[in-house]
Amino acid sequence: MTKDNHHVFTDGELSRSEGTLRIDTLDGEMEHLPVESIDTLYLHGQIDFNTRALGLLNDHGVPTHVFGWKDYYKGSYLPKRSHISGNTVVEQVRAYDDADRRLGIAKSMIEASIHNMRANLVYYNARDCSFDTEINRLESLKTEVSGVDSIDTLRGTEATARKTYYSCFSEILREPFSLDRREYNPPTNETNALISFLNSMVYTACVSAIRKTALDPTVGFMHEPGDRRFTLSLDIADIYKPILADRVLFRLVNRQQISPDEFESDLDGCLLTEDGRLTVLEEYEETLDRTVEYPRLKRKVSYKTLVQTDVYSLKKHILTGEPYRPTERWW
């Protein structure tokens, strides 16, 4: 059976009904969700759930990502691992503790991230934009990565690259959407709101992918481990934000699939309405399911599978020393 992501926007209660999930909404409606068909569950509404529902999700290995008021990402319920390996975790921590190994992994991640940002600019440069200066700047920054001698310096290089990249958004986007600067917590305009929401979706996709391996999502290489974030997920997400979040953003705006009417502004900044989130998620999920010819596997794989492939490549590198090959867009 094909498994898909499932998004729940209604308010109500999530419970177990025999061998399946049931949602009882506040307005008296009921919906059954066959748990066998769910890859990842996203709860966007105000949902109550109990241990029986969580037990069913756990039995079927379904990660659940919870979004709170105004659809801010709040956290994840992750089922027991299907792959458990103390050796993998030990080797992952050893790689983090070894300054040279950690820096090497982080460099590969940032090189891929910059490459994917540059690939987006090259795509739009061939249309009605003029990004020669920014494209050359990103190429130069990617080249500089190999000579970086510390994580802090690498972070500075990545920040410069992202600032260069974001400076091009206003020219790419159809009016009235624009981006003068990246702002979040809270986002201050429609473009920032779209970026924040889509970035959170990419982050949760990476959480789910890492959970399918024995890697520990709290031990990252570019980002410092913390108490409140899955830092390895942040690392992988930086590679895929240009491929997933940003290309979805550009398509939605430039094809006029979304309008300023699908946002609301208040003291908490500018956020998508429920209709707006549905529009974004429809395009995002379609993108995850798109396929590309994958040279190493000699077959077509979905974008969702690409994320998983990157995680497996990292795991192999940590355990065996095989080259780590994060995805650099070739198509």
Side-chain angles (χ1 to χ4, degrees):
M1 178 183 292
T2 300
K3 291 189 175 185
D4 298 310
N5 294 340
H6 191 88
H7 297 264
V8 177
F9 282 92
T10 55
D11 297 339
E13 180 181 1
L14 175 69
S15 61
R16 178 173 182 166
S17 178
E18 297 183 352
T20 192
L21 294 168
R22 189 177 83 181
I23 296 177
D24 293 283
T25 67
L26 294 182
D27 56 10
E29 295 183 1
M30 182 178 67
E31 178 186 3
H32 284 92
L33 304 176
V35 68
E36 299 89 350
S37 67
I38 302 174
D39 182 73
T40 302
L41 183 63
Y42 293 84
L43 301 179
H44 300 271
Q46 301 301 303
I47 300 289
D48 295 327
F49 47 87
N50 56 31
T51 54
R52 294 189 72 243
L54 292 179
L56 185 63
L57 291 166
N58 183 75
D59 290 344
H60 289 268
V62 179
T64 302
H65 303 300
V66 180
F67 293 76
W69 188 68
K70 297 294 186 181
D71 230 15
Y72 283 115
Y73 170 74
K74 299 299 291 184
S76 301
Y77 169 73
L78 302 178
K80 65 182 179 183
R81 290 179 178 275
S82 57
H83 303 281
I84 299 174
S85 171
N87 180 59
T88 298
V89 176
V90 168
E91 289 301 323
Q92 183 180 353
V93 173
R94 284 176 174 165
Y96 169 82
D97 269 340
D98 184 316
D100 290 337
R101 289 181 70 190
R102 178 187 179 187
L103 184 60
I105 293 170
K107 283 182 178 181
S108 295
M109 291 171 168
I110 297 307
E111 285 173 343
S113 177
I114 294 175
H115 174 95
N116 293 332
M117 287 187 270
R118 182 181 180 278
N120 281 351
L121 298 191
V122 168
Y123 176 86
Y124 284 97
N125 196 52
R127 284 149 178 82
D128 295 327
C129 299
S130 179
F131 297 141
D132 289 340
T133 299
E134 291 81 5
I135 289 169
N136 291 335
R137 178 62 173 145
L138 290 178
E139 183 64 30
S140 176
L141 288 167
K142 182 183 178 183
T143 302
E144 288 177 16
V145 167
S146 63
V148 167
D149 60 2
S150 73
I151 293 292
D152 285 342
T153 304
L154 188 59
R155 289 197 190 102
T157 302
E158 193 273 342
T160 301
R162 199 160 292 277
K163 184 177 180 181
T164 301
Y165 175 57
Y166 281 141
S167 72
C168 300
F169 273 39
S170 288
E171 188 171 346
I172 294 173
L173 296 172
R174 180 191 291 263
E175 293 183 352
F177 289 86
S178 64
L179 185 70
D180 293 330
R181 62 181 180 274
R182 181 72 177 104
E183 295 177 317
Y184 48 92
N185 293 332
T188 54
N189 63 12
E190 292 85 357
T191 304
N192 274 299
L194 278 170
I195 294 172
S196 292
F197 182 67
L198 283 164
N199 282 355
S200 70
M201 297 309 302
V202 175
Y203 170 81
T204 56
C206 295
V207 172
S208 296
I210 293 167
R211 194 63 179 182
K212 293 178 181 178
T213 73
L215 292 172
D216 189 324
T218 66
V219 181
F221 297 92
M222 183 64 184
H223 294 84
E224 293 292 345
D227 295 331
R228 303 178 64 183
R229 303 182 300 173
F230 292 127
T231 51
L232 184 57
S233 303
L234 293 172
D235 287 351
I236 304 297
D238 279 347
I239 299 167
Y240 278 92
K241 287 174 185 176
I243 294 174
L244 292 174
D246 299 338
R247 291 302 287 267
V248 169
L249 162 66
F250 299 150
R251 285 197 298 271
L252 286 168
V253 171
N254 292 340
R255 295 176 183 175
Q256 296 182 292
Q257 294 171 252
I258 197 163
S259 74
D261 293 338
E262 292 173 281
F263 298 82
E264 54 188 3
S265 297
D266 55 25
L267 294 176
D268 294 297
C270 181
L271 299 167
L272 284 155
T273 63
E274 182 174 327
D275 286 344
R277 294 194 297 271
L278 287 169
T279 299
V280 173
L281 287 172
E282 181 178 359
E283 181 67 30
Y284 173 75
E285 290 294 341
E286 287 181 2
T287 300
L288 281 180
D289 290 337
R290 289 182 180 179
T291 60
V292 295
E293 190 71 33
Y294 194 70
R296 293 206 302 273
L297 296 180
K298 297 182 179 179
R299 62 181 176 86
K300 288 187 175 182
V301 300
S302 68
Y303 283 29
K304 183 189 295 185
T305 301
L306 281 178
V307 178
Q308 193 70 61
T309 301
D310 274 21
V311 177
Y312 283 133
S313 178
L314 176 60
K315 178 185 174 182
K316 283 186 178 181
H317 172 74
I318 289 170
L319 292 178
T320 69
E322 289 187 24
Y324 170 45
R325 296 189 179 98
T327 295
E328 294 188 356
R329 188 175 184 124
W330 67 86
W331 63 96

